[in-house]
PDB file of all heavy atoms in Angstrom:
ATOM      1  N   SER W  21       8.841  15.849  -1.584  1.00 98.00           N
ATOM      2  CA  SER W  21       9.782  15.900  -0.460  1.00 98.00           C
ATOM      3  C   SER W  21      10.321  14.512  -0.129  1.00 98.00           C
ATOM      4  O   SER W  21      10.340  14.091   1.032  1.00 98.00           O
ATOM      5  CB  SER W  21       9.100  16.517   0.767  1.00 98.00           C
ATOM      6  OG  SER W  21       8.636  17.821   0.492  1.00 98.00           O
ATOM      7  N   LEU W  22      10.752  13.817  -1.146  1.00 98.00           N
ATOM      8  CA  LEU W  22      11.200  12.441  -0.973  1.00 98.00           C
ATOM      9  C   LEU W  22      12.430  12.342  -0.076  1.00 98.00           C
ATOM     10  O   LEU W  22      13.309  13.205  -0.097  1.00 98.00           O
ATOM     11  CB  LEU W  22      11.496  11.817  -2.332  1.00 98.00           C
ATOM     12  CG  LEU W  22      10.244  11.452  -3.133  1.00 98.00           C
ATOM     13  CD1 LEU W  22      10.593  11.222  -4.595  1.00 98.00           C
ATOM     14  CD2 LEU W  22       9.585  10.208  -2.540  1.00 98.00           C
ATOM     15  N   LYS W  23      12.450  11.270   0.693  1.00 98.00           N
ATOM     16  CA  LYS W  23      13.531  10.990   1.628  1.00 98.00           C
ATOM     17  C   LYS W  23      14.171   9.654   1.286  1.00 98.00           C
ATOM     18  O   LYS W  23      13.526   8.790   0.696  1.00 98.00           O
ATOM     19  CB  LYS W  23      12.989  10.938   3.061  1.00 98.00           C
ATOM     20  CG  LYS W  23      12.223  12.165   3.503  1.00 98.00           C
ATOM     21  CD  LYS W  23      11.605  11.944   4.871  1.00 98.00           C
ATOM     22  CE  LYS W  23      10.809  13.138   5.325  1.00 98.00           C
ATOM     23  NZ  LYS W  23      10.178  12.909   6.657  1.00 98.00           N
ATOM     24  N   PRO W  24      15.423   9.451   1.674  1.00 97.00           N
ATOM     25  CA  PRO W  24      16.068   8.157   1.402  1.00 97.00           C
ATOM     26  C   PRO W  24      15.273   6.969   1.939  1.00 97.00           C
ATOM     27  O   PRO W  24      15.266   5.903   1.316  1.00 97.00           O
ATOM     28  CB  PRO W  24      17.419   8.293   2.105  1.00 97.00           C
ATOM     29  CG  PRO W  24      17.717   9.753   2.023  1.00 97.00           C
ATOM     30  CD  PRO W  24      16.373  10.419   2.242  1.00 97.00           C
ATOM     31  N   GLU W  25      14.594   7.140   3.059  1.00 96.00           N
ATOM     32  CA  GLU W  25      13.815   6.059   3.631  1.00 96.00           C
ATOM     33  C   GLU W  25      12.564   5.718   2.823  1.00 96.00           C
ATOM     34  O   GLU W  25      11.882   4.733   3.122  1.00 96.00           O
ATOM     35  CB  GLU W  25      13.433   6.351   5.091  1.00 96.00           C
ATOM     36  CG  GLU W  25      12.807   7.714   5.302  1.00 96.00           C
ATOM     37  CD  GLU W  25      13.810   8.755   5.775  1.00 96.00           C
ATOM     38  OE1 GLU W  25      14.920   8.806   5.217  1.00 96.00           O
ATOM     39  OE2 GLU W  25      13.475   9.520   6.705  1.00 96.00           O
ATOM     40  N   ASP W  26      12.252   6.519   1.810  1.00 98.00           N
ATOM     41  CA  ASP W  26      11.144   6.212   0.911  1.00 98.00           C
ATOM     42  C   ASP W  26      11.553   5.179  -0.140  1.00 98.00           C
ATOM     43  O   ASP W  26      10.699   4.695  -0.891  1.00 98.00           O
ATOM     44  CB  ASP W  26      10.653   7.470   0.194  1.00 98.00           C
ATOM     45  CG  ASP W  26      10.071   8.497   1.151  1.00 98.00           C
ATOM     46  OD1 ASP W  26       9.434   8.104   2.149  1.00 98.00           O
ATOM     47  OD2 ASP W  26      10.245   9.708   0.886  1.00 98.00           O
ATOM     48  N   THR W  27      12.822   4.875  -0.204  1.00 98.00           N
ATOM     49  CA  THR W  27      13.336   3.925  -1.187  1.00 98.00           C
ATOM     50  C   THR W  27      12.679   2.553  -1.040  1.00 98.00           C
ATOM     51  O   THR W  27      12.517   2.048   0.067  1.00 98.00           O
ATOM     52  CB  THR W  27      14.853   3.779  -1.039  1.00 98.00           C
ATOM     53  OG1 THR W  27      15.482   5.016  -1.392  1.00 98.00           O
ATOM     54  CG2 THR W  27      15.403   2.690  -1.959  1.00 98.00           C
ATOM     55  N   GLY W  28      12.315   1.969  -2.169  1.00 98.00           N
ATOM     56  CA  GLY W  28      11.722   0.648  -2.143  1.00 98.00           C
ATOM     57  C   GLY W  28      11.019   0.332  -3.445  1.00 98.00           C
ATOM     58  O   GLY W  28      10.968   1.148  -4.363  1.00 98.00           O
ATOM     59  N   LEU W  29      10.489  -0.862  -3.499  1.00 98.00           N
ATOM     60  CA  LEU W  29       9.702  -1.288  -4.648  1.00 98.00           C
ATOM     61  C   LEU W  29       8.245  -0.968  -4.332  1.00 98.00           C
ATOM     62  O   LEU W  29       7.706  -1.440  -3.329  1.00 98.00           O
ATOM     63  CB  LEU W  29       9.893  -2.787  -4.898  1.00 98.00           C
ATOM     64  CG  LEU W  29       9.337  -3.359  -6.199  1.00 98.00           C
ATOM     65  CD1 LEU W  29      10.030  -2.713  -7.397  1.00 98.00           C
ATOM     66  CD2 LEU W  29       9.532  -4.865  -6.230  1.00 98.00           C
ATOM     67  N   TYR W  30       7.626  -0.167  -5.175  1.00 98.00           N
ATOM     68  CA  TYR W  30       6.257   0.275  -4.949  1.00 98.00           C
ATOM     69  C   TYR W  30       5.271  -0.545  -5.769  1.00 98.00           C
ATOM     70  O   TYR W  30       5.400  -0.659  -6.990  1.00 98.00           O
ATOM     71  CB  TYR W  30       6.117   1.751  -5.293  1.00 98.00           C
ATOM     72  CG  TYR W  30       6.667   2.666  -4.226  1.00 98.00           C
ATOM     73  CD1 TYR W  30       8.037   2.746  -3.990  1.00 98.00           C
ATOM     74  CD2 TYR W  30       5.813   3.441  -3.433  1.00 98.00           C
ATOM     75  CE1 TYR W  30       8.546   3.560  -2.996  1.00 98.00           C
ATOM     76  CE2 TYR W  30       6.319   4.266  -2.445  1.00 98.00           C
ATOM     77  CZ  TYR W  30       7.681   4.323  -2.224  1.00 98.00           C
ATOM     78  OH  TYR W  30       8.174   5.146  -1.238  1.00 98.00           O
ATOM     79  N   TYR W  31       4.297  -1.097  -5.080  1.00 98.00           N
ATOM     80  CA  TYR W  31       3.287  -1.941  -5.703  1.00 98.00           C
ATOM     81  C   TYR W  31       1.919  -1.284  -5.679  1.00 98.00           C
ATOM     82  O   TYR W  31       1.546  -0.629  -4.711  1.00 98.00           O
ATOM     83  CB  TYR W  31       3.165  -3.273  -4.969  1.00 98.00           C
ATOM     84  CG  TYR W  31       4.384  -4.159  -5.010  1.00 98.00           C
ATOM     85  CD1 TYR W  31       5.368  -4.069  -4.028  1.00 98.00           C
ATOM     86  CD2 TYR W  31       4.541  -5.103  -6.018  1.00 98.00           C
ATOM     87  CE1 TYR W  31       6.474  -4.894  -4.053  1.00 98.00           C
ATOM     88  CE2 TYR W  31       5.646  -5.935  -6.046  1.00 98.00           C
ATOM     89  CZ  TYR W  31       6.613  -5.826  -5.062  1.00 98.00           C
ATOM     90  OH  TYR W  31       7.712  -6.647  -5.080  1.00 98.00           O
ATOM     91  N   CYS W  32       1.185  -1.511  -6.723  1.00 98.00           N
ATOM     92  CA  CYS W  32      -0.214  -1.140  -6.802  1.00 98.00           C
ATOM     93  C   CYS W  32      -1.043  -2.380  -6.486  1.00 98.00           C
ATOM     94  O   CYS W  32      -0.682  -3.487  -6.892  1.00 98.00           O
ATOM     95  CB  CYS W  32      -0.520  -0.625  -8.213  1.00 98.00           C
ATOM     96  SG  CYS W  32      -2.261  -0.347  -8.581  1.00 98.00           S
ATOM     97  N   ALA W  33      -2.128  -2.206  -5.757  1.00 98.00           N
ATOM     98  CA  ALA W  33      -2.979  -3.330  -5.405  1.00 98.00           C
ATOM     99  C   ALA W  33      -4.448  -2.960  -5.538  1.00 98.00           C
ATOM    100  O   ALA W  33      -4.826  -1.796  -5.425  1.00 98.00           O
ATOM    101  CB  ALA W  33      -2.685  -3.785  -3.972  1.00 98.00           C
ATOM    102  N   ALA W  34      -5.267  -3.969  -5.772  1.00 96.00           N
ATOM    103  CA  ALA W  34      -6.704  -3.756  -5.923  1.00 96.00           C
ATOM    104  C   ALA W  34      -7.492  -4.945  -5.402  1.00 96.00           C
ATOM    105  O   ALA W  34      -6.938  -6.038  -5.223  1.00 96.00           O
ATOM    106  CB  ALA W  34      -7.061  -3.498  -7.384  1.00 96.00           C
ATOM    107  N   PHE W  35      -8.760  -4.714  -5.166  1.00 92.00           N
ATOM    108  CA  PHE W  35      -9.730  -5.724  -4.755  1.00 92.00           C
ATOM    109  C   PHE W  35      -9.507  -6.235  -3.344  1.00 92.00           C
ATOM    110  O   PHE W  35      -8.645  -7.079  -3.087  1.00 92.00           O
ATOM    111  CB  PHE W  35      -9.770  -6.882  -5.744  1.00 92.00           C
ATOM    112  CG  PHE W  35     -10.123  -6.460  -7.137  1.00 92.00           C
ATOM    113  CD1 PHE W  35      -9.191  -6.526  -8.156  1.00 92.00           C
ATOM    114  CD2 PHE W  35     -11.394  -5.980  -7.422  1.00 92.00           C
ATOM    115  CE1 PHE W  35      -9.516  -6.130  -9.437  1.00 92.00           C
ATOM    116  CE2 PHE W  35     -11.734  -5.573  -8.700  1.00 92.00           C
ATOM    117  CZ  PHE W  35     -10.793  -5.650  -9.714  1.00 92.00           C
ATOM    118  N   LEU W  36     -10.317  -5.713  -2.437  1.00 90.00           N
ATOM    119  CA  LEU W  36     -10.265  -6.139  -1.051  1.00 90.00           C
ATOM    120  C   LEU W  36     -10.728  -7.574  -0.906  1.00 90.00           C
ATOM    121  O   LEU W  36     -11.678  -8.005  -1.561  1.00 90.00           O
ATOM    122  CB  LEU W  36     -11.144  -5.239  -0.180  1.00 90.00           C
ATOM    123  CG  LEU W  36     -10.676  -3.798   0.027  1.00 90.00           C
ATOM    124  CD1 LEU W  36     -11.773  -2.992   0.711  1.00 90.00           C
ATOM    125  CD2 LEU W  36      -9.395  -3.770   0.856  1.00 90.00           C
ATOM    126  N   LYS W  37     -10.072  -8.298  -0.028  1.00 91.00           N
ATOM    127  CA  LYS W  37     -10.494  -9.661   0.265  1.00 91.00           C
ATOM    128  C   LYS W  37     -11.739  -9.667   1.137  1.00 91.00           C
ATOM    129  O   LYS W  37     -12.537 -10.595   1.068  1.00 91.00           O
ATOM    130  CB  LYS W  37      -9.365 -10.419   0.966  1.00 91.00           C
ATOM    131  CG  LYS W  37      -8.154 -10.667   0.102  1.00 91.00           C
ATOM    132  CD  LYS W  37      -7.092 -11.433   0.872  1.00 91.00           C
ATOM    133  CE  LYS W  37      -5.891 -11.729   0.011  1.00 91.00           C
ATOM    134  NZ  LYS W  37      -4.840 -12.459   0.775  1.00 91.00           N
ATOM    135  N   THR W  38     -11.879  -8.629   1.959  1.00 86.00           N
ATOM    136  CA  THR W  38     -13.024  -8.508   2.846  1.00 86.00           C
ATOM    137  C   THR W  38     -13.789  -7.236   2.531  1.00 86.00           C
ATOM    138  O   THR W  38     -13.238  -6.142   2.616  1.00 86.00           O
ATOM    139  CB  THR W  38     -12.586  -8.491   4.314  1.00 86.00           C
ATOM    140  OG1 THR W  38     -11.869  -9.685   4.612  1.00 86.00           O
ATOM    141  CG2 THR W  38     -13.799  -8.401   5.234  1.00 86.00           C
ATOM    142  N   ARG W  39     -15.042  -7.379   2.177  1.00 81.00           N
ATOM    143  CA  ARG W  39     -15.876  -6.241   1.829  1.00 81.00           C
ATOM    144  C   ARG W  39     -15.992  -5.278   2.992  1.00 81.00           C
ATOM    145  O   ARG W  39     -16.213  -5.683   4.132  1.00 81.00           O
ATOM    146  CB  ARG W  39     -17.268  -6.734   1.412  1.00 81.00           C
ATOM    147  CG  ARG W  39     -18.197  -5.645   0.897  1.00 81.00           C
ATOM    148  CD  ARG W  39     -19.585  -6.201   0.651  1.00 81.00           C
ATOM    149  NE  ARG W  39     -19.563  -7.296  -0.300  1.00 81.00           N
ATOM    150  CZ  ARG W  39     -20.598  -8.086  -0.561  1.00 81.00           C
ATOM    151  NH1 ARG W  39     -21.748  -7.895   0.077  1.00 81.00           N
ATOM    152  NH2 ARG W  39     -20.476  -9.067  -1.435  1.00 81.00           N
ATOM    153  N   GLY W  40     -15.807  -3.990   2.703  1.00 80.00           N
ATOM    154  CA  GLY W  40     -15.957  -2.973   3.717  1.00 80.00           C
ATOM    155  C   GLY W  40     -14.732  -2.705   4.558  1.00 80.00           C
ATOM    156  O   GLY W  40     -14.744  -1.808   5.404  1.00 80.00           O
ATOM    157  N   SER W  41     -13.664  -3.433   4.331  1.00 82.00           N
ATOM    158  CA  SER W  41     -12.445  -3.232   5.100  1.00 82.00           C
ATOM    159  C   SER W  41     -11.837  -1.861   4.817  1.00 82.00           C
ATOM    160  O   SER W  41     -11.857  -1.386   3.676  1.00 82.00           O
ATOM    161  CB  SER W  41     -11.424  -4.316   4.780  1.00 82.00           C
ATOM    162  OG  SER W  41     -10.192  -4.060   5.442  1.00 82.00           O
ATOM    163  N   THR W  42     -11.297  -1.236   5.854  1.00 83.00           N
ATOM    164  CA  THR W  42     -10.608   0.042   5.701  1.00 83.00           C
ATOM    165  C   THR W  42      -9.190  -0.058   6.247  1.00 83.00           C
ATOM    166  O   THR W  42      -8.585   0.943   6.621  1.00 83.00           O
ATOM    167  CB  THR W  42     -11.372   1.177   6.407  1.00 83.00           C
ATOM    168  OG1 THR W  42     -11.546   0.852   7.791  1.00 83.00           O
ATOM    169  CG2 THR W  42     -12.725   1.403   5.755  1.00 83.00           C
ATOM    170  N   TYR W  43      -8.684  -1.257   6.288  1.00 90.00           N
ATOM    171  CA  TYR W  43      -7.353  -1.523   6.802  1.00 90.00           C
ATOM    172  C   TYR W  43      -6.375  -1.540   5.632  1.00 90.00           C
ATOM    173  O   TYR W  43      -6.403  -2.441   4.796  1.00 90.00           O
ATOM    174  CB  TYR W  43      -7.360  -2.862   7.540  1.00 90.00           C
ATOM    175  CG  TYR W  43      -6.085  -3.225   8.256  1.00 90.00           C
ATOM    176  CD1 TYR W  43      -5.330  -2.270   8.922  1.00 90.00           C
ATOM    177  CD2 TYR W  43      -5.653  -4.545   8.286  1.00 90.00           C
ATOM    178  CE1 TYR W  43      -4.168  -2.609   9.590  1.00 90.00           C
ATOM    179  CE2 TYR W  43      -4.493  -4.902   8.954  1.00 90.00           C
ATOM    180  CZ  TYR W  43      -3.752  -3.935   9.607  1.00 90.00           C
ATOM    181  OH  TYR W  43      -2.608  -4.279  10.276  1.00 90.00           O
ATOM    182  N   CYS W  44      -5.518  -0.555   5.572  1.00 95.00           N
ATOM    183  CA  CYS W  44      -4.571  -0.419   4.468  1.00 95.00           C
ATOM    184  C   CYS W  44      -3.337  -1.280   4.739  1.00 95.00           C
ATOM    185  O   CYS W  44      -2.289  -0.774   5.157  1.00 95.00           O
ATOM    186  CB  CYS W  44      -4.190   1.049   4.276  1.00 95.00           C
ATOM    187  SG  CYS W  44      -3.246   1.399   2.775  1.00 95.00           S
ATOM    188  N   ALA W  45      -3.502  -2.557   4.487  1.00 95.00           N
ATOM    189  CA  ALA W  45      -2.427  -3.513   4.715  1.00 95.00           C
ATOM    190  C   ALA W  45      -2.404  -4.514   3.573  1.00 95.00           C
ATOM    191  O   ALA W  45      -3.435  -4.870   3.014  1.00 95.00           O
ATOM    192  CB  ALA W  45      -2.621  -4.232   6.041  1.00 95.00           C
TER     193      ALA W  45
END
């Protein structure tokens, strides 16, 4: 159900800088 506002460059990321963090930023 993609929307125009979904447009962008999508990045994959790995390895938290802080162990145990649950902040998706």
